[in-house]
């Protein structure tokens, strides 16, 4: 299915009607929230750790050029090479050229959101390179021909039964019927298929959760150990990631890993943390390349939304978002869903195409509260909403209502009169305390009734309430 960021309203409606999706979402996002809450409770200094992680990321963004140069120097010293790509197309060219130079026709990949962002698999497959995703969730969506619906749980939208059916179709096996250990059997089946792919692999492509400037190392975190197999078996390794993933040194990496694991999966530490500091020394003439993708990040660095570049892709904001919880990740139409996706997509793809996304929020603030690197997500969403209005991207009706409201709000006496008349009119429109269809803004009553006002104006109620009689 071809989804787009422009298509959010329609995609969200479709998602709400999708019973299988609703069931899958209901059972998983609550689990993530509970695990995170327990992990945070078990670590009294969690808040201090988040402050430290935030300071590290701020320091890096303030001195990004310095740390990138330091990282590059140290990668070279370790025998590797750094390649800069201004956008996704250039990154694709670099990776394809490297694969061809190393005569690699079979490639294994460990999970990387940046390679999803730049659609690397399509570029590799277009030149005849066989690519196999080795993270279980990524493998599932790859063989299903899907895109990820969550940044740490790519196949979160699929039920166990759908996966059993998919494996049976693709692997040519009998479909496993529901049982207590069906999940474990499916994992074993995938492991068997992937093991052959690992041993046939001629080149590894990975992401990098962090880049350590002081040592020229990349850090990859997984819960399956697939990154280690991916990287250790073939002779060549290409890591693809964003320029903002730098941390200054190993001590800072430790702090980031502690908040990432707790925020993402509620673990004290991710099961596998792989530090790669150069080419695979099991071979003669191995190679290690790091492709650093800009993709509008340096532009964002100079804009009001630069704080979004602190994101460590833990997924906590989407796990706590009521909108994401209702519509799932695919409705957002691009690789980054949820609250952080609603900020990144307008920056990376342009506000005119992604203008609906910043409105896909109740602004309840839960995303900002749980973000381990203190990204003020609700403020950034509001920033994009203001920009949408300022750039005249909102529909004329909405703009007219906002202008009228602003004009009234600046004239308290007229505002009071209009409000009183409005309350009266709404009461007349109501039946049994509910309004079935609101005039002018009927979208609000398309899916639910609107409650009729019960009292008078808020300011009158406030004055009458205890202690405010004289205000
Ligand atoms: S914005 Fe914050 S909570 Fe959301 S994925 Fe990024 S780091 Fe995690």
């Amino acid at each position: 299915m071809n989804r787009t960021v422009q298509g959010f309203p329609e995609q969200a409606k479709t998602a709400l009607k999708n019973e299988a999706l609703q069931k899958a979402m209901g059972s998983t996002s609550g689990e993530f929230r509970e695990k995170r809450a327990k992990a945070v409770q078990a670590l009294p200094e969690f808040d201090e750790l988040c402050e430290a992680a935030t300071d590290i990321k701020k320091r890096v963004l303030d001195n990004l050029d310095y740390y990138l140069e330091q990282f590059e120097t140290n990668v070279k010293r370790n025998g590797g090479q750094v390649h800069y790509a201004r956008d996704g197309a250039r990154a694709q060219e670099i990776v394809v050229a490297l694969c061809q130079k190393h005569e690699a026709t079979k490639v294994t990949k460990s999970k990387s959101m940046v390679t999803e962002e730049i659609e690397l698999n399509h570029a590799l497959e277009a030149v005849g390179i066989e690519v196999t995703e080795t993270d279980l969730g990524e493998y599932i969506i790859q063989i299903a021909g899907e895109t990820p619906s969550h940044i740490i749980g790519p196949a979160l939208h699929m039920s166990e039964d759908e996966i059993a059916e998919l494996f049976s179709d693709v692997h040519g096996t009998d479909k496993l019927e529901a049982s207590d250990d069906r999940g474990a059997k499916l994992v074993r089946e995938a492991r068997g298929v992937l093991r052959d792919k690992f041993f046939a692999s001629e080149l590894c492509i990975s992401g990098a959760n962090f880049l350590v400037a002081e040592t020229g190392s990349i850090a990859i975190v997984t819960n399956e150990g697939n990154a280690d197999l991916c990287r250790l078996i073939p002779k060549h390794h290409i890591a693809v990631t964003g320029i903002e993933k730098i941390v200054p040194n190993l001590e800072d990496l430790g702090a980031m890993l502690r908040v990432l694991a707790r925020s993402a999966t509620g673990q004290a530490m991710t099961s596998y943390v792989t530090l790669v500091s150069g080419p695979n020394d099991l071979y003669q003439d191995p190679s290690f390349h790091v492709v650093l993708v800009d993709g509008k990040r340096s532009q964002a660095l100079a804009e009001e939304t630069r704080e979004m570049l602190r994101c460590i892709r833990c997924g906590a904001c989407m796990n706590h978002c009521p909108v994401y919880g209702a519509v799932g990740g695919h409705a957002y139409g691009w690789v980054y869903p949820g609250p952080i996706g609603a900020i990144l997509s307008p920056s990376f793809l342009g506000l005119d195409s992604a203008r609906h996304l910043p409105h896909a929020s109740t602004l309840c603030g839960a995303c900002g509260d749980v973000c381990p690197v203190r990204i003020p997500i609700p403020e950034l969403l509001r920033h994009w909403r203001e920009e949408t209005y300022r750039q005249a991207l909102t529909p004329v009706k909405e703009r007219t209502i906002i202008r009228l409201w602003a004009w009234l709000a600046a004239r308290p006496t007229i505002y009071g009169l209009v409000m009183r008349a409005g309350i009266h009119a709404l009461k007349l429109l109501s039946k049994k305390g509910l309004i079935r269809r609101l005039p002018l803004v009927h979208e609000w009553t398309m899916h639910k009734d609107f409650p009729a006002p019960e009292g008078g104006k808020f300011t009158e109620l406030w004055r009458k309430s205890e202690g405010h009689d004289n205000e």
Side-chain angles (χ1 to χ4, degrees):
M1 185 179 173
N2 198 13
R3 303 182 191 93
T4 60
V5 284
Q6 292 99 318
F8 177 81
E10 285 311 312
Q11 286 149 201
K13 276 183 210 156
T14 309
L16 288 170
K17 287 182 204 145
N18 182 338
E19 280 176 30
L21 173 72
Q22 293 300 320
K23 210 169 152 202
M25 295 298 300
S27 62
T28 42
S29 19
E31 218 174 286
F32 273 132
R33 285 197 298 274
E34 268 170 43
K35 283 184 179 164
R36 179 193 173 275
K38 274 190 196 151
V40 169
Q41 214 174 17
L43 187 74
E45 71 269 30
F46 183 72
D47 275 342
E48 285 162 38
L49 207 54
C50 290
E51 290 304 330
T54 307
D55 287 345
I56 293 166
K57 292 299 278 186
K58 279 184 182 168
R59 189 158 29 106
V60 164
L61 294 180
D62 287 345
N63 303 284
L64 191 57
D65 50 349
Y66 168 79
Y67 287 118
L68 282 171
E69 274 180 29
Q70 191 186 11
F71 174 73
E72 184 182 354
T73 304
N74 289 323
V75 170
K76 278 188 193 154
R77 197 198 58 208
N78 298 339
Q81 261 180 281
V82 173
H83 310 257
Y84 291 94
R86 66 183 168 279
D87 55 25
R90 180 68 193 126
Q92 285 183 356
E93 278 171 20
I94 293 170
V95 178
V96 167
L98 287 171
C99 289
Q100 289 173 333
K101 180 180 160 196
H102 296 305
E103 296 175 353
T105 54
K106 291 186 175 64
V107 163
T108 40
K109 271 185 79 207
S110 81
K111 186 174 172 305
S112 152
M113 292 309 288
V114 174
T115 61
E116 294 282 353
E117 177 187 322
I118 65 171
E119 298 183 1
L120 182 60
N121 288 8
H122 293 162
L124 293 168
E125 283 159 3
V127 294
I129 296 170
E130 181 194 293
V131 187
T132 307
E133 294 285 351
T134 62
D135 169 89
L136 180 60
E138 286 284 341
Y139 173 69
I140 291 168
I141 59 161
Q142 184 187 26
I143 61 174
E146 278 281 6
T147 53
S149 65
H150 189 285
I151 56 180
I152 63 161
L156 197 112
H157 57 285
M158 291 179 76
S159 67
E160 191 183 280
D161 200 58
E162 285 174 310
I163 296 167
E165 195 152 333
L166 176 72
F167 276 18
S168 160
D169 287 349
V170 176
H171 300 157
T173 49
D174 291 337
K175 182 186 167 188
L176 292 171
E177 293 309 325
S179 67
D180 289 348
D181 62 349
R182 180 166 68 170
K185 283 181 181 161
L186 289 169
V187 172
R188 264 203 300 278
E189 188 173 324
R191 191 182 286 152
V193 174
L194 289 175
R195 192 131 302 229
D196 292 339
K197 301 286 183 188
F198 280 125
F199 285 115
S201 171
E202 294 154 339
L203 186 144
C204 155
I205 296 178
S206 74
N209 295 81
F210 300 100
L211 307 165
V212 186
E214 191 185 60
T215 59
S217 318
I218 66 162
I220 312 169
V221 300
T222 72
N223 274 315
E224 297 165 22
N226 57 308
D228 295 86
L229 275 176
C230 245
R231 170 189 92 77
L232 282 171
I233 294 172
K235 186 170 165 181
H236 306 288
H237 179 182
I238 305 172
V240 185
T241 195
I243 54 170
E244 80 284 17
K245 296 288 177 68
I246 292 261
V247 292
N249 53 47
L250 289 172
E251 198 180 325
D252 293 331
L253 174 68
M256 302 310 293
L257 291 173
R258 290 179 77 198
V259 293
L260 173 62
R262 284 175 172 86
S263 297
T265 48
Q267 292 165 286
M269 191 55 75
T270 316
S271 305
Y272 298 87
V273 177
T274 307
L275 264 181
V276 184
S277 304
N280 186 348
D281 54 16
L282 294 173
Y283 292 95
Q284 272 194 336
D285 302 325
S287 71
F288 174 56
H289 304 269
V290 184
V291 179
L292 296 178
V293 181
D294 184 321
K296 301 245 174 103
R297 287 161 173 82
S298 55
Q299 186 183 316
L301 203 57
E303 291 173 351
E304 283 175 63
T305 48
R306 69 180 261 146
E307 287 164 293
M308 71 183 186
L309 296 172
R310 294 207 293 266
C311 178
I312 54 171
R313 310 284 191 262
C314 71
C317 55
M318 51 203 77
N319 297 337
H320 290 75
C321 174
V323 177
Y324 176 90
V327 301
H330 283 155
Y332 291 79
W334 198 44
V335 58
Y336 301 112
I340 188 62
I343 299 167
L344 290 172
S345 301
S347 289
F348 291 177
L349 303 176
L351 184 58
D352 48 350
S353 59
R355 71 180 175 86
H356 292 297
L357 299 185
H359 293 266
S361 167
T362 61
L363 294 185
C364 68
C367 50
D369 289 348
V370 295
C371 177
V373 282
R374 309 291 193 236
I375 300 174
I377 301 173
E379 279 82 357
L380 299 184
L381 289 169
R382 266 202 299 272
H383 163 79
W384 279 129
R385 289 184 184 190
E386 283 166 21
E387 271 302 297
T388 312
Y389 179 79
R390 209 181 56 76
Q391 294 181 26
L393 296 170
T394 38
V396 175
K397 185 168 98 178
E398 198 178 314
R399 289 159 50 72
T400 310
I401 291 172
I402 292 172
R403 276 209 201 108
L404 185 64
W405 186 275
W407 187 87
L408 282 173
R411 291 162 181 81
T413 312
I414 306 176
Y415 183 87
L417 288 171
V418 172
M419 283 302 112
R420 204 165 289 134
I423 290 168
H424 188 64
L426 288 175
K427 281 182 182 170
L428 287 177
L429 279 175
S430 71
K431 275 195 189 127
K432 296 184 182 167
L434 292 172
I435 299 161
R436 304 294 294 274
R437 187 181 157 89
L438 276 173
L440 292 177
V441 284
H442 69 277
E443 291 88 349
W444 278 9
T445 43
M446 267 163 64
H447 302 288
K448 59 183 185 295
D449 295 338
F450 190 80
E454 289 186 4
K457 289 194 306 152
F458 171 76
T459 44
E460 289 167 354
L461 297 173
W462 175 259
R463 273 193 213 106
K464 276 186 209 153
S465 68
E466 198 183 344
H468 302 104
D469 295 348
N470 300 324
E471 285 180 31

